[in-house]
Amino acid sequence: ILVDSLDAEYGSIIYAQLDGYEAPVGYSVSDEAYTDSGFVNALEYGATVPEGGIDLYFKLVPNVYDAEFDANGGMFSDGSDIMIVPTAYESEIVVPEVPVMDGYEFDGWDPAVSTMDEEGKYFVATWTPAVYTVTYYQYDEVYEEFEMCYGDEFDVPADPYISCYEFLGWAE
């Protein structure tokens, strides 16, 4: 952004300021002024107005907002259930490590992770109960087998019958 002209006498100290300019949503104007539009040469502290005047340029700097990731019953490796990822406006949000929860498989984040907006973002982990296969054996042969989800009520099959034997129960 080119500042119009500064009313200052040759040799006087330049006070770089950008009065009356409103940065677009999601951006701030840099505190530092530059003497070139490529933003390479910063105006040095205490610089004076050269003969012929000077044009000053300011960068638009993206604001940083928080992307909050809620493990939704799970945990991140540091033991927390919330992870904050500071992210610059319009930048891709860096997804943190996948949280874990006993008996569940991580499905992803809701909503889908994308770029940062001007308000920050909130994501919630989604989970699917893990499915386990339970197998009962009788003399090294499968007696009964079924699948169940973590947290489901456990079903014990009917007691097997073998003539002249008393069934005492199932063992691990």
Side-chain angles (χ1 to χ4, degrees):
I1 301 164
L2 174 64
V3 174
D4 290 333
S5 59
L6 294 172
D7 292 329
E9 293 183 22
Y10 168 73
S12 62
I13 294 178
I14 299 171
Y15 295 100
Q17 48 189 328
L18 195 56
D19 293 330
Y21 176 78
E22 219 173 289
V25 170
Y27 290 90
S28 298
V29 176
S30 63
D31 291 333
E32 196 168 34
Y34 296 84
T35 59
D36 64 313
S37 62
F39 307 113
V40 174
N41 301 308
L43 180 68
E44 293 180 23
Y45 178 77
T48 59
V49 176
E51 188 175 348
I54 188 171
D55 289 331
L56 296 179
Y57 300 83
F58 291 82
K59 283 185 185 180
L60 283 178
V61 179
N63 295 332
V64 175
Y65 302 96
D66 287 338
E68 184 174 342
F69 291 85
D70 182 340
N72 190 22
M75 291 244 170
F76 293 100
S77 65
D78 66 358
S80 69
D81 59 351
I82 299 287
M83 186 73 65
I84 304 292
V85 179
T87 307
Y89 177 68
E90 295 185 324
S91 294
E92 286 292 322
I93 297 170
V94 175
V95 178
E97 68 195 60
V98 171
V100 294
M101 183 164 55
D102 288 342
Y104 290 85
E105 295 176 9
F106 178 73
D107 270 342
W109 297 104
D110 184 38
V113 179
S114 58
T115 57
M116 182 55 74
D117 62 20
E118 71 276 3
E119 297 177 5
K121 296 242 180 155
Y122 182 76
F123 303 96
V124 178
T126 58
W127 303 96
T128 299
V131 177
Y132 299 95
T133 301
V134 178
T135 307
Y136 287 90
Y137 291 93
Q138 179 182 347
Y139 295 113
D140 296 330
E141 290 186 22
V142 174
Y143 175 73
E144 189 170 327
E145 185 172 77
F146 57 92
E147 290 186 344
M148 62 183 294
C149 292
Y150 181 81
D152 284 353
E153 191 171 312
F154 198 79
D155 291 327
V156 177
D159 294 346
Y161 173 77
I162 299 176
S163 180
C164 298
Y165 286 89
E166 179 183 349
F167 178 73
L168 299 177
W170 298 103
E172 287 187 39

